[in-house]
Amino acid sequence: EVQLVESGGGLVQPGGSLRLSCEASGFTFSSYYMGWVRQAPGKGLEWVANINQGGSEENYVDSVKGRFTISRVNAKNSLYLQMNSLRAEDTAVYYCARAGANWGSRWYYDLWGRGTLVTVSS
Amino acid sequence: DIQLTQSPSFLSASVGDRVTITCRASQGISSYLAWYQQKPGIAPKLLIYAASTLQSGVPSSFSGSGSGTEFTLTISSLQPEDFATYYCQQLNSYPFTFGPGTKVDIK
């Protein structure tokens, strides 16, 4: 079955760290850009970061630059998001997404995980 | 960063209605736009990409159009399962911003 499964969410204190994981199955993980998108409780979607197939290109939204790091291990079909110096405003459900629908030079997020909740609170 | 606005932010409609949602970009984004549907507690689902390409498995009642700065998502005949929140996303340049969403509710 083609799917993405996130893990690693939980409650963390402000200033703390957390590492999210996303395990892919049912497709050739190494062939796709991958990304993280988050959604604060009751709010809209926010694109967080993405990474290219080989892991050599990373892009981030400004609000997480210098604090979050996206990475992947293709041999393990896994995507990661290392989150440091967490703030209350980072509280959200974090979705892992595959960029698999292609048109021109852009890849659109066609497969999403169920998400993992990160709560930053003292 | 490119800002996206959506109108309306809330829409009340009946089964069978034709519904149109507009997404406007703060600068030209060619056709690098996607539409997603999200239901409460569930991950978003890709409906349309490249402004007008229907994602595999999505009903043909959904269609998208536009280029540059103005885009529309149309549902030709609203079905009970279509009541949800709809988001546009631009992939012209980083960061890949989303619009604020349009909630489609039952009249």
Side-chain angles (χ1 to χ4, degrees):
Chain A
E1 182 185 0
V2 176
Q3 64 177 355
L4 299 169
V5 179
E6 302 95 336
S7 60
L11 175 64
V12 60
Q13 292 188 339
S17 298
L18 212 56
R19 188 197 197 205
L20 305 184
S21 300
C22 170
E23 184 171 347
S25 58
F27 64 95
T28 305
F29 177 73
S30 59
S31 296
Y32 296 91
Y33 267 78
M34 297 294 297
W36 290 97
V37 175
R38 68 185 179 183
Q39 187 168 36
K43 303 297 184 182
L45 302 171
E46 182 182 34
W47 178 85
V48 174
N50 77 354
I51 188 168
N52 69 346
Q53 292 90 333
S56 61
E57 175 194 334
E58 304 164 24
N59 294 279
Y60 301 91
V61 67
D62 282 351
S63 59
V64 308
K65 278 181 184 175
R67 301 189 299 123
F68 289 12
T69 302
I70 188 172
S71 63
R72 63 191 298 163
V73 176
N74 288 338
K76 293 185 177 181
N77 292 328
S78 293
L79 177 73
Y80 305 99
L81 187 66
Q82 177 66 44
M83 304 185 295
N84 299 329
S85 302
L86 282 160
R87 307 166 180 166
E89 55 265 35
D90 296 318
T91 294
V93 173
Y94 285 73
Y95 294 103
C96 164
R98 180 186 78 175
N102 169 249
W103 180 84
S105 59
R106 300 298 188 273
W107 296 81
Y108 299 79
Y109 295 125
D110 68 333
L111 179 67
W112 296 62
R114 293 186 175 184
T116 187
L117 176 63
V118 173
T119 303
V120 184
S121 174
S122 54
Chain B
D1 296 359
I2 295 174
Q3 310 300 319
L4 297 179
T5 58
Q6 288 183 234
S7 59
S9 55
F10 180 84
L11 187 160
S12 186
S14 301
V15 172
D17 283 354
R18 180 181 181 89
V19 166
T20 298
I21 299 168
T22 298
C23 176
R24 291 186 175 87
S26 58
Q27 63 190 76
I29 59 170
S30 183
S31 295
Y32 299 125
L33 187 102
W35 289 98
Y36 298 89
Q37 176 193 68
Q38 188 180 33
K39 297 179 181 178
I42 298 176
K45 173 186 176 181
L46 178 65
L47 298 175
I48 302 281
Y49 62 97
S52 61
T53 302
L54 192 68
Q55 170 67 350
S56 175
V58 174
S60 58
S61 57
F62 290 90
S63 63
S65 65
S67 67
T69 61
E70 187 157 333
F71 302 84
T72 59
L73 172 70
T74 299
I75 309 172
S76 61
S77 179
L78 201 63
Q79 297 303 303
E81 60 269 24
D82 300 334
F83 292 96
T85 300
Y86 293 85
Y87 296 93
C88 56
Q89 182 197 22
Q90 67 82 19
L91 288 89
N92 181 75
S93 60
Y94 290 111
F96 290 161
T97 44
F98 286 89
T102 294
K103 184 175 182 179
V104 178
D105 210 344
I106 302 172
K107 183 182 285 183

